[in-house]
Amino acid sequence: MSRAPGSARARVGLEVSQVVELPRPRTPGDGEPARMYAVVTVTVHRPGTAPAPGGTPAPGEAHASGEAGPRLAEVLLIDHSSSMVIPPSRLAAARAAASSALARIPDGALFALVAGGDRAAMIYPRRPGFAVAHAESRAAAEAALRDCTPGGGTAMGTWLERARQLFRDLPATGPGGHVRHALLLTDGKNEPGYESPAELRERVERCARAFDCDVVGIGDAWETEELLLIAGALGGRTRAVADLTRLPDELAALTGSAAERDVTGLRLRLHHRAGVRPYSFERVHPTRATLTPDRTDLTGVEAGAGGPVEEYGLGPCGEETRAYLLCVGAPYDPAQLGKELLLTEVEVDAEGPAEHLELPEPRPVLVRWTDDADLYSRLDPQVAHYRHEEELHRTFEEACAELKRGARDAAQALLGTAWRLAGQVGDTAMRDHLLHLVRVTDAERGRVELLDHIPRFDVEAARIQSSVTVLPGARRGTRRAGPR
């Protein structure tokens, strides 16, 4: 793939951070290969655009390079089950929020408004399909939303399935491509009589890679696992909103962010050396998710030419940084002691023509076997950071389980550890959520006291926050692997 000239519309950066040394095995050939961890960071920089007469051009309009970017295609999935009228202010807030989201959809983009209950119903346009965004269509959609009567139960998988059907014929990349995004708002959880957990998971899996989806929970009756399942599988964020007066701003911000993700078609490819065993590949920022490759090519393995090639689609990107934790098994060769060896080559590529992109050179994941404990005992700061983030998440989940079974002393001790870990990784948002659950008596040592009354919403909102990670702070001492 050729690299774009300096007039490229967007620049993509790629880093690999690791400590390359591993201790030489004392009994070569026994057990599993040693595990090598590395953090892969992809950064996308969108160029500035010249303001159009009277304002700033909307995403999808002409860019500074003169080329048109992909247009937004947005599906708003708004809960209209019976619970949304208890209290009536909840439905009014949801409708106001949907109107705010509609206002952030750029002119010329496509949109659809869907009412979610035990099945999905088109609100606007009335027939399955998309409307083109402009002042008149937004006003018509708002009027149709006001006329929609809530009722029935909740089956969120059917809402997602309707979005998948709407997006089915829209290309994601290339000429005429669209940024396919859904926004799901709910106040409740799936009801077994309408959709089982297995049915929800199956429908979510069918929607994976078809579109991205952000999820917003209001009230306190939603199930955290369901919201995180949907957002995690569909590359989105989960939000819990307690103050309904903030809901319009939340939905407007999420829709605006989707409109700015106009860099599409990026793919992350891992070329493993022969003998390397891929163990795991996880997204660790901005949210955590275990990933499965879109494609695994074993041709090289079968031909003896190399190891497997794994490929992951990044989905639409805006101005953002995404980080991934790679773990591979490193085969040991006694003849290579002390030499720096390639394990995996990491490459960012794009589907179709890449003239609008400035793509980075591939980066290697390396290993060097050594007997020097001062070298192999070092911790890479970025690897350590994200493993501490995982420890924070795991500790907080254990605390929630203890709270649920009434073991307050055990929960209190775990929440103290979570407070300390959140400070270590610089997660101030998580600490803010923890202050709804505990009173801090010794911040440095992580000593806390449980509050007497802890609302369910505060616990579940903190669980959602613990799925979000922060970027590492200072990166002193980090080994960044450059081009070979």
Side-chain angles (χ1 to χ4, degrees), residues 107-334:
D107 282 349
L110 304 180
F111 77 95
L113 193 53
V114 175
D118 45 80
R119 52 187 176 178
M122 296 295 299
I123 298 177
Y124 188 86
R126 291 294 186 185
R127 294 181 179 179
F130 285 97
V132 177
H134 48 72
E136 292 79 7
S137 62
R138 291 190 194 92
E142 291 180 25
L145 182 62
R146 289 192 297 269
D147 291 340
C148 186
T149 303
T154 302
M156 287 181 281
T158 65
W159 315 354
L160 297 170
E161 187 65 27
R162 174 54 63 91
R164 187 179 71 85
Q165 293 167 357
L166 288 168
F167 287 124
R168 184 169 49 201
D169 297 327
L170 294 182
T173 59
H178 290 80
V179 175
R180 300 176 297 189
H181 180 261
L183 180 54
L184 187 153
L185 170 69
T186 185
D187 77 330
K189 58 186 177 182
N190 266 16
E191 298 171 50
Y194 298 112
E195 185 175 51
S196 69
E199 288 172 322
L200 173 61
R201 183 172 292 278
E202 180 184 342
R203 286 169 175 150
V204 168
E205 289 173 354
R206 278 205 299 268
C207 293
R209 306 182 183 92
F211 60 93
D212 288 354
C213 183
D214 293 317
V215 184
V216 177
I218 58 176
D220 63 359
W222 37 266
E223 285 288 347
T224 303
E225 288 79 7
E226 291 178 347
L227 303 194
L228 291 176
L229 167 68
I230 294 169
L234 304 186
R237 293 282 296 267
T238 307
R239 301 280 176 85
V241 179
D243 182 359
L244 292 180
T245 63
R246 288 181 44 237
L247 191 60
D249 288 342
E250 288 284 351
L251 263 65
L254 289 169
T255 307
S257 295
E260 292 172 357
R261 296 188 195 117
D262 56 0
V263 179
T264 60
L266 293 178
R267 306 192 71 76
L268 193 61
R269 195 171 295 121
L270 307 178
H271 301 264
H272 300 293
R273 197 187 90 200
V276 170
R277 181 183 302 182
Y279 281 126
S280 62
F281 189 66
E282 304 170 84
R283 187 180 66 234
V284 290
H285 182 77
T287 56
R288 275 191 316 278
T290 299
L291 305 178
T292 55
D294 297 346
R295 185 176 68 87
T296 300
D297 184 2
L298 298 176
T299 305
V301 178
E302 294 164 357
V309 178
E310 298 177 295
E311 191 170 281
Y312 300 84
L314 297 188
C317 298
E319 182 83 14
E320 61 184 287
T321 296
R322 301 184 188 182
Y324 306 84
L325 182 62
L326 171 66
C327 178
V328 295
Y332 175 65
D333 181 353

Side-chain angles (χ1 to χ4, degrees), residues 4-24:
S7 61
R9 186 189 305 169
R11 179 167 55 87
V12 183
L14 177 65
E15 279 188 0
V16 169
S17 184
Q18 63 170 142
V19 167
V20 302
E21 288 82 14
L22 284 177
R24 176 170 61 95

Side-chain angles (χ1 to χ4, degrees), residues 62-73:
H63 290 251
S65 64
E67 299 177 25
R71 290 191 299 165
L72 175 68

Side-chain angles (χ1 to χ4, degrees), residues 284-421:
V284 290
H285 182 77
T287 56
R288 275 191 316 278
T290 299
L291 305 178
T292 55
D294 297 346
R295 185 176 68 87
T296 300
D297 184 2
L298 298 176
T299 305
V301 178
E302 294 164 357
V309 178
E310 298 177 295
E311 191 170 281
Y312 300 84
L314 297 188
C317 298
E319 182 83 14
E320 61 184 287
T321 296
R322 301 184 188 182
Y324 306 84
L325 182 62
L326 171 66
C327 178
V328 295
Y332 175 65
D333 181 353
Q336 303 298 328
L337 182 66
K339 297 179 181 179
E340 202 166 74
L341 306 172
L342 175 70
L343 291 176
T344 300
E345 187 173 69
V346 183
E347 177 189 23
V348 176
D349 208 341
E351 295 179 1
E355 288 79 8
H356 63 299
L357 293 170
E358 182 183 338
L359 296 174
E361 294 297 325
R363 299 288 188 264
V365 177
L366 304 169
V367 67
R368 182 167 58 237
W369 301 99
T370 180
D371 291 322
D372 189 339
D374 289 338
L375 294 176
Y376 67 67
S377 61
R378 295 178 303 155
L379 290 176
D380 177 80
Q382 292 197 53
V383 172
H385 173 85
Y386 288 115
R387 297 190 78 177
H388 281 140
E389 284 271 21
E390 176 57 34
E391 186 182 359
L392 167 61
H393 174 73
R394 185 174 60 252
T395 299
F396 185 73
E397 283 293 305
E398 290 173 2
C400 291
E402 296 293 349
L403 270 179
K404 189 173 183 179
R405 69 183 189 91
R408 289 179 61 87
D409 288 346
Q412 180 172 282
L414 288 164
L415 289 173
T417 301
W419 174 269
R420 180 174 51 79
L421 289 169

